[in-house]
Every structure is written in C-alpha cells, then in structure tokens.
Amino acid sequence: MSGQLPGGFAELEAFVEQWDLITERERHTTRLTAPIEQSNALYDALLPQIEPIAEYLADFDINALPAPEQSLLNLALSFMEVSLTVECLKSPTVPGGFAFERFEVLF
Amino acid sequence: MTAPEDRLIIKLPTEVPDMGTDPLPIEPYISADFFEKERTQVFAKAWLNVGRVDEIPNVGDYLVKRIEVLNATILVVRGKDNEIRAFHNICVHRGMQVTAAGCEKGNAQGFMCGFHAWVYDLEGKLTHVPGKEYFPDTDFDGLQMPPVTLEIWKGFIFINDQEKPKKGLVEYLGGLGDDLRGYPFETFNHIARYRANVNVNWKTFIDAFHEAYHVAEVHKNTIPDGCNSPDNPNAVPSSARIYPPHHAVSVPLNSAYVPTPAAALAWKFGASFAPGDMVDLEGLNPSGDDNWWFDINTLFPNFFIDVGPGWYFTYHFWPVSVDETHWEMNIYQLEAKTAAEKIAQEHTKVLLRDILYEDLSTMEQTHQSMKSRKLDSMIVGEMEIAVRHQLYEVMQWVDGKGCME
C-alpha cells in the first residue's frame, strides 16, 4: 500500500497497516499483542519524526483532518502508546502488572 | 540509616484528629458483618459522586448507575428545564427498570418500561398507563419514579440515599471543597476511562492510592523516580490536609527527574503526567509546597480527584461485596487545540494507564493474605496518614459518630 500518508512522510507508509488506529483501545490492544520488535520498529522510525509531524499538522484543524493527515496523527499517537513499552517496560505488557484481559479501556 | 530526628517533616496545616499510632485492625477489611454496617452507616449516608454534568450536556441525556452497595440503580437525567435530577430506575407498576439491561447512558424524550409500557417523562413523572381503565382503584395522580437526593458541585454530580441528608454537599465537602474551588474543572475534556473488577475490599483498594511510599517499588518499571529523589528517597508527602471525613495528600516531585524522550516531547508540546514544567492553575498545591507534583484528594468515602498542572483524574471505588470492588478511572485534560497537544495528551494517558496496571497488581494478593487471618493488624507509618485516617473515619461512621449523623 502507498500514498496513505501526506507526501513528506512516505517513509512511514510501512507502519500504516498495523498502527493507523483511531482509538486508544485499538492502539493499546495492538501494542499488547504485537511482538515487541514491532513496537521497537515503530518507536525508532517515529521518534525523529514526531516534531516534524506536529509542525506539519499545526496548519490543520485537528477536529477535521483529511484522511492522510488523520493517519499521520494516528501513527504519532501509536508512538506514544508504545513509548512505555520501548523506553521503560521492555515488554508489550506491564511486567508483574494486573492482567490486561481484566483491564477495560473504554475510549 | 537515617536517624529519627533527621526524618523529613510532613506539613500538617489542619487539625489532625487523635487517631492513635497503633497498628490498624484487619477485621474491618475482611468482615462481611462489618461490610453490612458500612452499607447502612457509610454509603447510605455519605454524598456519592455518580458523574459529571458534561456527560449529559443536552436535554434528555441520561446516565444509568448501578450502585451495588446501595442495592440501587440510579437514573440521572437532564430535564426539559435543563435541571439534572436523579431517580431510582424503578417502574412504580411492578418494579421493572425503565432502561434496557446494560444501558449506561443515552438520550430520550421520556422513559418507557419494557414490561407493560408504562411511560415516564424526563422529570420522572408517570404520564401514560396502557389500559388505565382496568385499574379502577388506583390513584395515578402524582405517581413517579422514586426521587433521589442530588446536588452538584463544580460540575460533579453527587447523590445521597437520605431524603434529607444531615449536611448539604458543600458543607459536607468543607475545607477540601474550599481548597479545590478555584480549579477550572469545567474547562477540561474527558479523554479516557478505565475499569476493572478486582477481588479486594474497597478500603484496601483505596489505600494504595493515597500514599506515595509504594512508588519506588510498585512503579519501578514505569516511573520509579517521579517523586523519589536523593533528598526524599521514600517519597514522603510534602503536606497532608485532614478535613474530616476527607483528606488530601500532596505528592512531592523529584526535581532531578530525567524525562524519557517521549515524556520530553510531551512536555515540549503540552503537558504530561510525568514531572515537568508546572502550569499554574488555581486550586493546586494549597499548602504552597516546594517540589510539588500533584494533589491527591480523597472525598470520603470512595471518590478521588487528583489534580495536577494541566490534567486531573478521578477514581471511583464501588464496593460490590466485602471481597469485591468495581474500580473506574477517568482522565481529563485541557482541550487539545493542536496535533502537538493531542500527542502530548496521549503520553499522559498511556503513562497513567500503565501505572495503574502496576497499582492494581497488589490488590488481590493483599486481600487473600488478610483473609488468612494470620495477621490481626497492619503496620502503618507516618507517610501513610491517609490510610490511617480513612479507616478512622469508617470506624467513626460505623459507630454512629460520623459527620452525617
């Protein structure tokens, strides 16, 4: 798949299929169930891009983003979702934490 | 080892009741008999939060709240006159609920019982009975769903099981309400909700959330050094305010905290839960502490409003039985106007949520241990003053000496 992100961010296209998710619940479920290598790859690719993404999206109304821009924002939100896994936990789930199957994320 | 005289001082600007220094008895946390007393002496008398006005902004919007400890299902409705009222979700005919099973919120012009189609308006009054002529001996005038006492403070909707509570809501909240009065709750957006059902007593659950002594160990994987600093390795609270039956604890900040790359981005873009620049909002840090992070506000008996610089969150701890508690967390942040602010908010959400997985991990093992009755009491230190005060108040109320008698 190509052409789903705004032009300047074409190198992130590879992450769209897995991480272009609109709700926190979807992003969280993906992080919990994906192998950590996939979270690491997203994190590494997005970290240097977060500031350019924020700068690029500053010209748009965030409540009415066109589809490519919304996808870009969703990737940035997925970056934050995996940030704990990559930076702190070194694990998709919280080590020693409450069972995620019993923890309900409503939004 | 630190000599006792070198210990950090917790500021206690309010009068502290004489709560003693003995270990706390375990029995109130595991006794079914005690739980029945809490039901009638605490939950049936206290003001209980059931939501915020922003959840039902339009005429006809309603919430359905199942409150197991009161054996009640409450309907909170915004009427045609824009007033918010509460009723027991009970059809006066034969007691069926007037909303569908599992319904938590919605919008309606009125309510129709799904049993025999009796109809109620948004003010709870019975307006239509099919086959009314077959009830010749019934006076239908003035029949309505049983009303529930309701008051609103700063947009928070509270109900009370008493028809005429001893104290109104503002008087009940007292000094804690005064401290929080200036905080701009109404300007925040609701950004997250989490829930879990945990096999633990409600008080044991609560007690993990109003001290910071546990942070270094329980939160060692998420934010071990948020409040633990070289100067304050045990995260001794900088201040605690006792406003019986409520209390507040201010959590210290580790000023040497080094943010992760994601936390640093969040602070560059907006605000994060991770320590960072302080945003000056009225109602924060009432004791004027140095190295202040956030305030934990415990509204007796089961509601928390933790306020910080650019975010606040709430916890509800709803007892289901002596051994089970339904927990809910809601997170609120100032409206994100830009993508950058939205990305920053996501960091707060994710960090708090993962912290909560850690907090919830201790509950069931602790409760199981308590139930073994191998310990009669638990040891509580000065840093855990809120734990002591919570049980002190519950015991007072159960003994008929609470502030709502």
Side-chain angles (χ1 to χ4, degrees):
Chain A
M1 301 280 274
S2 66
Q4 295 177 85
L5 294 174
F9 299 94
E11 73 271 29
L12 301 178
E13 293 279 351
F15 297 101
V16 168
E17 191 178 344
Q18 185 177 18
W19 296 104
D20 173 13
L21 302 166
I22 195 81
T23 65
E24 179 196 0
R25 188 170 53 227
E26 292 168 298
R27 293 188 291 269
H28 187 46
T29 303
T30 302
R31 177 199 108 179
L32 290 171
T33 52
I36 191 166
E37 293 73 20
Q38 294 176 6
S39 288
N40 288 337
L42 177 76
Y43 180 91
D44 291 344
L46 265 289
L47 180 61
Q49 293 294 328
I50 294 295
E51 289 193 76
I53 289 172
E55 209 169 298
Y56 170 76
L57 292 176
D59 294 334
F60 294 84
D61 172 358
I62 57 157
N63 297 312
L65 289 176
E69 281 70 22
Q70 184 66 53
S71 294
L72 190 61
L73 177 60
N74 292 347
L75 290 189
L77 300 180
S78 286
F79 163 81
M80 283 302 183
E81 175 62 50
V82 303
S83 67
L84 262 283
T85 276
V86 176
E87 294 176 339
C88 306
L89 309 176
K90 316 296 179 200
S91 159
T93 55
V94 179
F98 191 72
F100 70 83
E101 300 87 347
R102 297 174 59 196
F103 192 103
E104 200 180 350
V105 176
L106 281 100
F107 287 7
Chain B
M1 221 165 117
T2 313
E5 60 270 24
D6 290 340
R7 67 187 170 191
L8 295 168
I9 302 298
I10 306 167
K11 278 193 278 178
L12 297 170
T14 57
E15 198 182 324
V16 178
D18 181 10
M19 304 186 286
T21 55
D22 292 342
L24 303 182
I26 298 281
E27 198 62 19
Y29 300 84
I30 57 173
S31 158
D33 290 344
F34 192 85
F35 183 77
E36 288 309 312
K37 290 180 191 157
E38 290 177 330
R39 194 193 293 279
T40 54
Q41 286 293 104
V42 177
F43 285 89
K45 294 181 179 175
W47 284 99
L48 304 172
N49 179 265
V50 293
R52 275 195 61 78
V53 294
D54 2 333
E55 294 178 69
I56 45 173
N58 302 310
V59 169
D61 285 349
Y62 64 89
L63 300 172
V64 185
K65 291 280 168 188
R66 175 69 193 159
I67 304 179
E68 304 284 353
V69 68
L70 295 180
N71 284 316
T73 305
I74 311 284
L75 196 51
V76 182
V77 190
R78 189 182 285 270
K80 285 203 169 66
D81 55 0
N82 248 321
E83 287 294 310
I84 294 174
R85 298 176 179 81
F87 315 102
H88 287 278
N89 187 354
I90 296 176
C91 175
V92 296
H93 177 210
R94 281 165 54 192
M96 170 72 169
Q97 296 183 357
V98 301
T99 56
C103 170
E104 290 188 18
K105 67 181 296 182
N107 179 277
Q109 294 186 315
F111 300 95
M112 187 181 78
C113 177
F115 200 173
H116 304 93
W118 288 31
V119 176
Y120 298 83
D121 66 15
L122 296 177
E123 284 71 47
K125 292 194 188 67
L126 180 66
T127 55
H128 179 70
V129 176
K132 205 173 186 176
E133 60 276 23
Y134 295 95
F135 297 85
D137 300 325
T138 303
D139 178 7
F140 287 97
D141 260 12
L143 281 185
Q144 67 161 96
M145 289 186 273
V148 176
T149 308
L150 178 146
E151 283 194 41
I152 295 166
W153 170 84
K154 298 288 294 175
F156 292 100
I157 304 167
F158 288 77
I159 58 115
N160 195 298
D161 199 41
Q162 305 291 311
E163 196 179 332
K164 290 195 172 111
K166 166 94 176 185
K167 289 182 178 181
L169 177 59
V170 171
E171 188 189 354
Y172 177 69
L173 295 175
L176 188 62
D178 291 343
D179 278 357
L180 284 169
R181 193 186 295 138
Y183 195 77
F185 293 106
E186 66 285 352
T187 62
F188 281 68
N189 280 354
H190 187 189
I191 63 160
R193 172 172 284 171
Y194 308 122
R195 282 182 186 160
N197 239 43
V198 186
N199 299 317
V200 63
N201 183 264
W202 67 281
K203 298 185 297 301
T204 305
F205 208 150
I206 280 182
D207 285 348
F209 293 89
H210 46 195
E211 48 91 353
Y213 183 29
H214 71 276
V215 171
E217 176 58 25
V218 170
H219 301 304
K220 58 181 177 287
N221 287 312
T222 51
I223 193 154
D225 52 354
C227 50
N228 306 72
S229 62
D231 297 339
N232 186 357
N234 297 301
V236 177
S238 39
S239 57
R241 293 160 294 284
I242 312 285
Y243 297 112
H246 322 286
H247 51 250
V249 174
S250 291
V251 180
L253 176 86
N254 172 14
S255 54
Y257 169 79
V258 178
T260 66
L265 280 167
W267 273 108
K268 194 165 184 177
F269 290 169
S272 171
F273 175 69
D277 293 334
M278 291 297 112
V279 180
D280 199 16
L281 294 175
E282 215 181 313
L284 294 174
N285 191 10
S287 298
D289 301 343
D290 296 329
N291 292 332
W292 171 92
W293 188 5
F294 67 98
D295 300 317
I296 298 168
N297 296 292
T298 307
L299 284 66
F300 190 82
N302 69 330
F303 182 51
F304 280 47
I305 308 175
D306 287 15
V307 292
W311 50 263
Y312 78 89
F313 58 82
T314 64
Y315 300 127
H316 293 87
F317 301 90
W318 291 111
V320 177
S321 72
V322 64
D323 296 321
E324 186 183 357
T325 303
H326 183 76
W327 166 83
E328 182 173 293
M329 177 182 196
N330 290 286
I331 307 176
Y332 303 82
Q333 288 210 314
L334 294 168
E335 187 188 359
K337 295 193 175 71
T338 64
E341 286 170 0
K342 188 127 180 117
I343 295 166
Q345 288 194 349
E346 200 67 13
H347 188 261
T348 285
K349 248 196 305 197
V350 168
L351 177 57
L352 278 169
R353 189 196 59 216
D354 285 5
I355 286 172
L356 264 297
Y357 277 108
E358 296 178 319
D359 280 312
L360 267 58
S361 72
T362 67
M363 300 299 155
E364 293 182 345
Q365 285 174 292
T366 303
H367 190 67
Q368 283 167 16
S369 300
M370 284 185 172
K371 283 183 65 138
S372 75
R373 288 192 155 84
K374 297 300 175 207
L375 291 178
D376 303 330
S377 60
M378 56 177 161
I379 303 163
V380 170
E382 289 174 12
M383 293 180 282
E384 298 155 306
I385 185 171
V387 173
R388 185 177 292 282
H389 185 239
Q390 184 75 13
L391 182 66
Y392 174 81
E393 282 296 334
V394 169
M395 300 291 269
Q396 293 285 111
W397 285 54
V398 162
D399 289 345
K401 293 182 242 160
C403 70
M404 296 297 269
E405 297 292 338

